[in-house]
Amino acid sequence: MKYIHCLTSLSIWRGIEGEAKDITMKIGFIGLGNLGFPVAQNLLESGHELLIYNRTASKALPLVQQGAVLCNSIEELAAQCQLVCTLVSDDAALYSISESLLNSLVPDSLHISISTILPQTAKELADAHNRNGFQYLAAPVFGRPEAARARKLNFVISGEDKVCKMADPILKDAGGMGVWDFGESITAANTVKLCGNFLIGAALEAIGESIDLAKHSGVDATKMWGMFSQTILNNPVYQLYSKIILEQKFEPAAFSMKLGLKDINLVLEQAEKANQNMPIASLLQQHMMQMVGEGKQQLDWSAVALAAND
Amino acid sequence: MKYIHCLTSLSIWRGIEGEAKDITMKIGFIGLGNLGFPVAQNLLESGHELLIYNRTASKALPLVQQGAVLCNSIEELAAQCQLVCTLVSDDAALYSISESLLNSLVPDSLHISISTILPQTAKELADAHNRNGFQYLAAPVFGRPEAARARKLNFVISGEDKVCKMADPILKDAGGMGVWDFGESITAANTVKLCGNFLIGAALEAIGESIDLAKHSGVDATKMWGMFSQTILNNPVYQLYSKIILEQKFEPAAFSMKLGLKDINLVLEQAEKANQNMPIASLLQQHMMQMVGEGKQQLDWSAVALAAND
């Protein structure tokens, strides 16, 4: 670590020097799940001082061995830094953590909220933070844990312009190959994230249907996807998931059916608010509920591809 | 044109020299629609002698000006060459043309069948050709007219191995960036083609739903797709169609709703034969029928993206 700056001095320093490469900060990180862990690790390996908190403390130990400081409570963490990142599984968990943060953050702190949540939750949390003199940035992220480890994540952000600019280098240190600014409307980033997860979910269902049709028509589905992956659908989402689905390698889950269903439920909740029909999203919800009903909530969410002809 | 060979001499010549680059052939081409026209033109521009036939003769004139010979009937065309390509809009048209071909082809001729048809149609036509001493190759193609003009098509082929090998250089001359051999089972190529068109159709519907959700949640959908097109869905299908759908530029159609519905009907007919549920395909059928019912059969098939919230 070369420098330790608080947020305020960071802004000043950047303003004078116009170069942030050597800046390291004291960052709090809450939520060390499948994705949170490698994101936190990236921040640590980028040279930042890292304070961590996780409901299940044992998950934090490998980071402690790398130099992170494990806190016993959210309050203990919040009292020691002006920048806190959270990456948790649902809106309820984030509301609960935010309640603790609002009671313990030091003045002018920034909360970078990476979780996939309802846009309206982002709005409510941002308002609550602002009322208490804190900043809130919506910064959901695209990428599975292996993308995090390879520093190939894509963060989508929305919030006050100066906060977006401030967060940009930090999110790059967190593994963001791309940081995409969707402007000052706080709900935008989480809406984009829901649209993206919906599109990936739709692709999973379509891949599954195509494999079922090919296989039961006497066609080598692996060969077919070998071609599609190099031609009409030559992109990482289709390449990765067609392979997982063809090989039925749904364990261990990088992103579980339970979380997939949670996201699709948010998509449909947002669709209802926006008065829009989303028939593929409704189909995904039905198929994911079917899989969860069969006790498959711990499989990778791509196992939804099995549902149509289960 | 450097050499004119019939198929038999081509095989011999290739056997001796092991090099086909300089070979030009006498090729019959039937079906000069949106895609057939540039494919035929590619063959002509690759130096082949081209005989053409089209139900609407006026569409053939630009090719005649480039040196193609317009025939007045299928029989007149078939009598003059040992290689005939067909690219027509549906199974019925291909059955009808094949009936004429079977009565007029010269011995040992090869029929390269590029149309998107039911796999079972390919089987029946191949059998009929073989019984009459002719060869039949299933060679459906992926790519819109602009891809044909840019020689970036992908042909999927199935049929006898020696026929596949013989057709490969010709299909490359026809604009095939890739020629993907799916083996000797004659139904394979058309099954793969139906799976591919289904997957693209599913992407259209999903793109539409994502745009509806974003727009009605206050997000700039063009900006969102600018990001998706460079990140999670960075491939030509999503890049091209998200742009068309966002701009609602559905005319002139490169591939019409009418033809899209025809293909989805084939997908579901094949799914029924294979005893497979394909709920997204069923949804596409419903949305495409809705659009056709509204008189929109001449729009590009990507207008199906409008159906969910029409």
Side-chain angles (χ1 to χ4, degrees):
Chain A
M1 271 171 282
K2 296 177 189 169
Y3 304 93
I4 308 291
H5 293 261
C6 73
L7 264 190
T8 315
S9 62
L10 168 65
S11 321
I12 292 163
W13 195 86
R14 282 175 58 82
I16 297 166
E17 308 284 334
E19 169 62 64
K21 287 239 159 72
D22 286 339
I23 294 184
T24 62
M25 297 184 63
K26 197 167 183 176
I27 301 175
F29 201 101
I30 299 171
L32 301 170
N34 273 357
L35 189 59
F37 186 92
V39 170
Q41 194 167 37
N42 285 338
L43 287 169
L44 191 60
E45 291 177 355
S46 295
H48 297 287
E49 187 175 356
L50 199 69
L51 300 164
I52 52 181
Y53 173 79
N54 196 54
R55 213 172 35 186
T56 314
S58 59
K59 288 190 184 169
L61 295 183
L63 292 180
V64 172
Q65 285 167 350
Q66 281 188 263
V69 176
L70 181 60
C71 299
N72 291 314
S73 68
I74 292 168
E75 289 77 4
E76 183 188 326
L77 177 145
Q80 296 180 67
C81 50
Q82 282 195 301
L83 173 61
V84 176
C85 299
T86 55
L87 179 34
V88 294
S89 60
D90 58 27
D91 294 50
L94 187 61
Y95 270 120
S96 160
I97 288 166
S98 293
E99 205 179 326
S100 303
L101 286 176
L102 291 175
N103 288 325
S104 54
L105 283 170
V106 295
D108 298 323
S109 285
L110 168 60
H111 176 183
I112 298 182
S113 173
I114 308 175
S115 310
T116 299
I117 53 170
L118 207 58
Q120 182 59 26
T121 301
K123 176 85 176 73
E124 287 168 17
L125 290 177
D127 288 347
H129 280 67
N130 295 343
R131 275 196 306 273
N132 287 273
F134 309 124
Q135 303 278 5
Y136 178 95
L137 183 75
V141 63
F142 286 102
R144 287 163 66 100
E146 62 266 30
R149 285 186 288 270
R151 292 181 172 268
K152 289 186 172 175
L153 297 173
N154 280 288
F155 287 91
V156 283
I157 63 176
S158 58
E160 276 186 45
D161 192 50
K162 65 170 191 213
V163 176
C164 288
K165 285 191 169 57
M166 206 187 282
D168 181 276
I170 296 157
L171 293 173
K172 282 177 179 149
D173 285 347
M177 183 171 62
V179 180
W180 304 81
D181 184 348
F182 280 85
E184 299 223 321
S185 168
I186 191 73
T187 56
N190 286 105
T191 304
V192 171
K193 172 63 181 166
L194 291 182
C195 286
N197 273 22
F198 158 70
L199 286 158
I200 298 170
L204 299 178
E205 170 71 28
I207 291 169
E209 294 184 25
S210 79
I211 290 173
D212 289 345
L213 183 64
K215 272 189 181 169
H216 292 86
S217 303
V219 167
D220 181 339
T222 302
K223 192 170 176 178
M224 178 177 85
W225 270 100
M227 182 218 160
F228 289 160
S229 293
Q230 291 174 71
T231 54
I232 58 170
L233 295 165
N234 59 344
N235 110 299
V237 164
Y238 283 92
Q239 287 159 346
L240 170 74
Y241 281 116
S242 64
K243 196 167 182 294
I244 291 175
I245 295 166
L246 282 162
E247 294 172 356
Q248 304 210 1
K249 285 202 175 163
F250 301 122
E251 289 176 290
F255 184 69
S256 71
M257 186 69 68
K258 191 179 159 190
L259 288 175
L261 176 57
K262 186 267 300 182
D263 283 3
I264 292 299
N265 286 340
L266 295 182
V267 168
L268 286 167
E269 202 171 331
Q270 182 62 24
E272 193 180 340
K273 278 182 209 297
N275 287 314
Q276 297 301 298
N277 288 319
M278 294 187 73
I280 292 186
S282 301
L283 175 68
L284 284 168
Q285 184 186 50
Q286 179 192 325
H287 280 180
M288 287 177 172
M289 285 176 70
Q290 176 189 327
M291 297 309 276
V292 169
E294 291 173 8
K296 294 173 180 164
Q297 63 273 12
Q298 296 312 320
L299 297 188
D300 194 80
W301 74 319
S302 51
V304 72
L306 305 181
N309 293 288
D310 197 19
Chain B
M1 274 171 280
K2 296 177 188 169
Y3 305 92
I4 308 292
H5 293 260
C6 73
L7 263 190
T8 315
S9 61
L10 167 64
S11 322
I12 292 164
W13 195 85
R14 282 177 57 82
I16 295 167
E17 308 284 333
E19 170 61 66
K21 289 237 159 72
D22 287 338
I23 292 182
T24 62
M25 297 185 63
K26 198 167 183 176
I27 301 175
F29 201 101
I30 299 171
L32 302 170
N34 273 357
L35 189 59
F37 186 92
V39 170
Q41 195 166 38
N42 285 338
L43 287 168
L44 192 61
E45 291 176 355
S46 295
H48 296 287
E49 187 174 355
L50 199 69
L51 300 165
I52 52 180
Y53 174 78
N54 197 55
R55 215 174 30 185
T56 313
S58 59
K59 288 191 185 167
L61 295 182
L63 293 179
V64 171
Q65 286 168 346
Q66 282 189 262
V69 176
L70 180 61
C71 299
N72 292 313
S73 68
I74 292 169
E75 289 76 5
E76 184 188 324
L77 178 146
Q80 297 180 67
C81 51
Q82 283 195 300
L83 174 60
V84 177
C85 298
T86 56
L87 178 35
V88 294
S89 60
D90 59 26
D91 295 50
L94 188 62
Y95 270 120
S96 161
I97 288 166
S98 293
E99 203 179 329
S100 303
L101 287 175
L102 292 174
N103 288 325
S104 53
L105 283 169
V106 294
D108 297 323
S109 286
L110 167 60
H111 176 183
I112 297 182
S113 174
I114 307 174
S115 311
T116 299
I117 53 170
L118 208 59
Q120 181 60 25
T121 301
K123 175 84 174 76
E124 286 169 16
L125 289 177
D127 288 348
H129 280 68
N130 295 344
R131 275 196 306 274
N132 286 274
F134 309 125
Q135 303 277 5
Y136 178 95
L137 183 76
V141 64
F142 287 102
R144 287 164 66 101
E146 62 265 30
R149 285 187 287 271
R151 293 181 172 270
K152 288 187 173 174
L153 297 172
N154 281 288
F155 287 91
V156 283
I157 62 176
S158 57
E160 277 185 44
D161 191 49
K162 65 171 190 209
V163 176
C164 288
K165 286 191 169 57
M166 207 186 284
D168 182 274
I170 296 157
L171 293 172
K172 282 175 180 151
D173 284 347
M177 183 171 61
V179 180
W180 303 81
D181 184 348
F182 280 84
E184 299 223 320
S185 168
I186 191 73
T187 55
N190 287 105
T191 305
V192 171
K193 173 62 181 166
L194 291 182
C195 287
N197 274 23
F198 158 70
L199 286 158
I200 298 170
L204 299 179
E205 170 70 28
I207 291 169
E209 294 183 25
S210 78
I211 290 173
D212 289 343
L213 183 63
K215 272 188 182 172
H216 293 85
S217 303
V219 167
D220 180 339
T222 302
K223 192 170 177 178
M224 179 177 85
W225 269 100
M227 181 220 161
F228 290 160
S229 292
Q230 292 174 72
T231 55
I232 59 170
L233 295 165
N234 59 346
N235 110 300
V237 163
Y238 282 92
Q239 287 159 346
L240 171 73
Y241 282 115
S242 63
K243 197 165 181 297
I244 292 176
I245 295 166
L246 281 161
E247 295 172 357
Q248 305 212 359
K249 284 202 175 161
F250 301 123
E251 290 177 288
F255 185 69
S256 70
M257 186 66 71
K258 192 179 158 190
L259 288 174
L261 176 56
K262 186 267 300 183
D263 283 4
I264 292 300
N265 286 339
L266 294 182
V267 168
L268 286 168
E269 202 172 331
Q270 182 61 24
E272 193 180 341
K273 279 183 209 296
N275 287 315
Q276 297 300 300
N277 289 320
M278 293 186 73
I280 292 186
S282 300
L283 175 68
L284 284 169
Q285 185 186 51
Q286 180 193 322
H287 281 180
M288 287 177 173
M289 285 174 71
Q290 177 189 326
M291 296 309 274
V292 169
E294 292 173 8
K296 295 172 181 166
Q297 62 274 12
Q298 296 312 321
L299 297 188
D300 193 81
W301 75 319
S302 51
V304 73
L306 305 182
N309 294 288
D310 197 17

